[in-house]
Amino acid sequence: MSSQEMVVLSVGGVRFVTRAFTLQQFPESRLARMLNDDDQEFKLVNGEFFVDRDGALFSYIMDFLRTLQVSLPTDFSDYQRLQREAEFYGLYPLADLLSQEHLLKPRLEILEVRFSLQEMQAFFRIFGSCSTTIEALAEQITVFTGQQSGQGWNSPFPSQKPLVPLPLERPSHHDMVFLCGTEYSASDQFVARYVSIKPDNRKLINGTNVLGLLIDTLLKDGFRLISIRTVISEEKVECYTFERMKRAAGLTITVNQTPGSSGVAQARRSQVQKGK
């Protein structure tokens, strides 16, 4: 059969249409042998291969054959059943990966925002259980500083002088620190710090506004606000705790495609879109 020829499968009553090349990714699998009439389990009925197996799980098998990646929904739980299906079809590299659920399961991610409002300044410290999330958030947040005249905290616009971006403080890979607002300097000037959070283009100086934008950004990124509490009463430090289920890194199969190969493969991690 030509590798470009279309193949129709009916798996448990669910119809799939693909190319022969896709089913031949692992030459010694039962799906590849099926195309050569070497496996009696697969019956050709009215031009379609009929397979009496689970059609819903076979959709994940097809996705794997098309992409050579294992990427499952965050609420997926049938690892053992899918592993049995992979073994049935002779896709042993996939079965081996599915036996290592810890590589594929999403994990709970916790993030805390500590916020303190003192006179004309607001202090932020963000802790996260996942360092890559903190790194990505640090790339979104920019603090700008400059001098201005006036009353500082409620000044609606930055001064005409150019604002200089400041690096965020990173005490560790799992947290960051920044502040906004104003403080006095010499000659009746204020040192002002503005915060910008991408993709929003505004430069905000009011700490309450920055907090609102930060919370909105986290909610849009899939986090859920689970608690608000005061951790230090005297300093009025509030802690906002968020959580989300973070998808596992995708696993890509590198296949040995040499003639006569059994499809022995190696798995390597590949990054998927963040936090989704």
Side-chain angles (χ1 to χ4, degrees):
M1 178 177 288
S2 167
S3 64
Q4 296 302 310
E5 190 169 338
M6 302 301 293
V7 180
V8 180
L9 300 94
S10 177
V11 184
V14 182
R15 193 168 182 266
F16 297 87
V17 180
T18 186
R19 293 186 183 276
F21 171 80
T22 302
L23 302 177
Q24 295 168 338
Q25 293 277 24
F26 296 84
E28 293 188 8
S29 71
R30 298 184 74 178
L31 290 170
R33 298 201 308 269
M34 171 192 73
L35 301 181
N36 299 322
D37 295 326
D38 290 340
D39 196 312
Q40 297 302 312
E41 185 75 29
F42 302 89
K43 304 296 183 182
L44 189 61
V45 181
N46 297 326
E48 298 184 6
F49 288 99
F50 175 76
V51 191
D52 190 17
R53 303 293 293 191
D54 190 306
L57 290 178
F58 189 71
S59 65
Y60 300 114
I61 300 286
M62 284 303 305
D63 181 66
F64 167 73
L65 290 173
R66 287 167 174 152
T67 66
L68 296 183
Q69 291 187 345
V70 183
S71 182
L72 301 172
T74 55
D75 59 350
F76 186 82
S77 60
D78 289 335
Y79 291 93
Q80 291 185 353
R81 290 183 60 214
L82 185 55
Q83 181 183 349
R84 287 199 300 269
E85 294 301 294
E87 291 172 347
F88 170 81
Y89 292 109
L91 297 171
Y92 297 108
L94 174 59
D96 290 343
L97 283 180
L98 290 167
S99 68
Q100 305 176 67
E101 293 183 23
H102 65 282
L103 295 178
L104 301 170
K105 282 186 175 181
R107 64 183 185 275
L108 182 65
E109 181 179 359
I110 302 296
L111 187 142
E112 287 188 352
V113 176
R114 296 198 176 190
F115 171 71
S116 175
L117 192 62
Q118 300 177 13
E119 296 182 354
M120 294 187 297
Q121 289 186 316
F123 297 82
F124 293 83
R125 186 161 192 170
I126 302 175
F127 302 83
S129 60
C130 179
S131 61
T132 56
T133 296
I134 294 298
E135 189 67 35
L137 191 57
E139 293 179 359
Q140 290 180 259
I141 299 174
T142 305
V143 177
F144 297 90
T145 185
Q147 289 189 342
Q148 69 176 52
S149 302
Q151 298 304 312
W153 180 264
N154 292 315
S155 298
F157 302 107
S159 66
Q160 297 300 315
K161 296 181 179 179
L163 296 177
V164 179
L166 291 176
L168 300 178
E169 292 184 43
R170 296 293 307 278
S172 75
H173 292 299
H174 289 272
D175 62 341
M176 71 176 83
V177 178
F178 63 91
L179 60 89
C180 65
T182 58
E183 61 182 350
Y184 286 105
S185 67
S187 306
D188 293 327
Q189 296 287 311
F190 288 94
V191 174
R193 288 185 175 87
Y194 300 84
V195 174
S196 177
I197 305 177
K198 297 176 183 177
D200 193 292
N201 293 320
R202 292 173 295 169
K203 294 181 176 64
L204 303 177
I205 195 172
N206 184 292
T208 303
N209 293 341
V210 173
L211 177 64
L213 178 58
L214 179 59
I215 291 175
D216 186 58
T217 300
L218 293 173
L219 294 177
K220 289 180 179 178
D221 204 26
F223 281 98
R224 182 170 66 94
L225 179 61
I226 59 174
S227 71
I228 304 174
R229 70 185 192 277
T230 300
V231 291
I232 304 178
S233 306
E234 299 77 8
E235 299 180 10
K236 298 180 180 179
V237 177
E238 296 178 341
C239 180
Y240 296 75
T241 303
F242 300 81
E243 70 174 19
R244 73 174 175 186
M245 293 302 294
K246 182 177 176 64
R247 292 180 70 100
L251 290 176
T252 300
I253 297 293
T254 304
V255 185
N256 180 0
Q257 295 286 20
T258 56
S261 167
S262 62
V264 175
Q266 294 181 334
R268 60 180 176 84
R269 289 184 180 274
S270 63
Q271 294 299 320
V272 296
Q273 293 297 320
K274 64 174 185 176
K276 305 296 182 186

